[in-house]
Amino acid sequence: MAEKIEIGYTDRLKEAFEVMGKMGLLLVSVDANGKPNAMTIGWGTVGIIWGKPIFTVLVRPSRYTHNLIEQTRDFTVNVPTPEMADIVAFCGSASGRDHDKFKEKGLIAVPSKKIKSPIIEQCTINYECKVVHKNDVIKEKLDGAILSSAYRSGDFHTIYYGEILGVYYSNK
Amino acid sequence: MAEKIEIGYTDRLKEAFEVMGKMGLLLVSVDANGKPNAMTIGWGTVGIIWGKPIFTVLVRPSRYTHNLIEQTRDFTVNVPTPEMADIVAFCGSASGRDHDKFKEKGLIAVPSKKIKSPIIEQCTINYECKVVHKNDVIKEKLDGAILSSAYRSGDFHTIYYGEILGVYYSNK
């Protein structure tokens, strides 16, 4: 098990965004019994709001992850390695309602230092985030081309604003 | 005048965020007569949403910039040099309603390639952004400590989602 080193939230951001754009990142949340779930995300932003480092993630209300984040008010974002491509694809199509993705795919959940949702051991970068705000993608305020490409069936994303409480890196 | 080179949106992001956190960035918009205005921002996020590179900026409805972005639906974000610290401070306190900040502070407006709002020649990194969505900071969904520290007088920020159409860099 490679040691995880604490880094700054901007330190490997270019790398994280490149993986997010090409393969996807793993958004991890946890249920009331401590069972974690991972969902693949290709969208998210990072920066500073209210003087705090913030990771925003978008989750459709229909998703299992939506229920979990609503309950725990926290999540982690995890940057997978190229070797995890099949796991990332699986976590983007299967639902946590029907699958124990960690168990089925051999993902190792490591307890976070400051929140309930765990991080994924095998991932190179992990962000621990506590929800400090949420709002929604608003149909009437959205560019028409985006509306017709991303929201044919409605289910407009909730945007969760996670204060980044810790970032960890391990060179696999 | 140093040449401006087109770069990727992640290429100098760490640098941009460090300046945003320490000094602030300059958010530029333009009025119907082509007169530009610069406002200092310390908050914003960058990432991928709807498959597009996005720069989100937060602007209070009371601000002059708010009116301008509502009209043109675009803005630029500009990363100042350390030598511009006094200009950045001025642009964070004076309003474009009362001041021609470009003229008074010697800021040089260079036409953007794809939007109406110009970029600032003297800045090291410039982002051209077209608004594709907006929503608001929602009082009832906000962390209590943030609510009392940032919104004592209400005036909850509008969050503008700018699709990044171009990023330019010049080494001053």
Side-chain angles (χ1 to χ4, degrees), chain A residues 10-11 13-14 17 43-48 50-51 132-136 138 141-143 146 151 159 161, chain B residues 10-11 13-14 17 43-48 50-51 132-136 138 141-143 146 151 159 161:
Chain A
T10 63
D11 283 344
L13 204 49
K14 181 181 165 77
F17 282 171
W43 302 350
T45 74
V46 172
I48 304 170
W50 309 297
V132 293
H133 181 245
K134 68 170 179 174
N135 59 11
D136 299 296
I138 300 172
K141 305 299 184 189
L142 194 62
D143 173 80
I146 295 172
Y151 299 101
I159 305 173
Y161 296 70
Chain B
T10 62
D11 284 345
L13 204 49
K14 182 181 165 76
F17 282 171
W43 303 350
T45 73
V46 172
I48 303 171
W50 309 298
V132 293
H133 181 244
K134 68 169 179 175
N135 59 12
D136 300 295
I138 300 171
K141 306 298 184 188
L142 195 61
D143 173 81
I146 295 172
Y151 299 101
I159 305 174
Y161 296 70

Side-chain angles (χ1 to χ4, degrees), chain B residues 96-166:
Chain B
R97 292 191 185 92
D98 312 314
H99 293 272
D100 184 335
K101 300 184 197 176
F102 274 72
K103 188 177 283 183
E104 291 177 33
K105 291 296 173 182
L107 293 172
I108 300 170
V110 177
S112 284
K113 293 188 179 170
K114 297 172 180 171
I115 60 172
K116 294 183 192 123
S117 302
I119 61 174
I120 298 175
E121 160 61 26
Q122 293 100 322
C123 289
T124 53
I125 314 172
N126 315 93
Y127 301 85
E128 288 187 19
C129 304
K130 181 188 77 162
V131 175
V132 293
H133 181 244
K134 68 169 179 175
N135 59 12
D136 300 295
V137 173
I138 300 171
K139 181 179 179 180
E140 292 75 19
K141 306 298 184 188
L142 195 61
D143 173 81
I146 295 172
L147 180 62
S148 46
S149 67
Y151 299 101
R152 285 184 179 277
S153 54
D155 204 15
F156 290 87
H157 291 90
T158 300
I159 305 174
Y160 290 106
Y161 296 70
E163 179 180 355
I164 302 171
L165 297 179

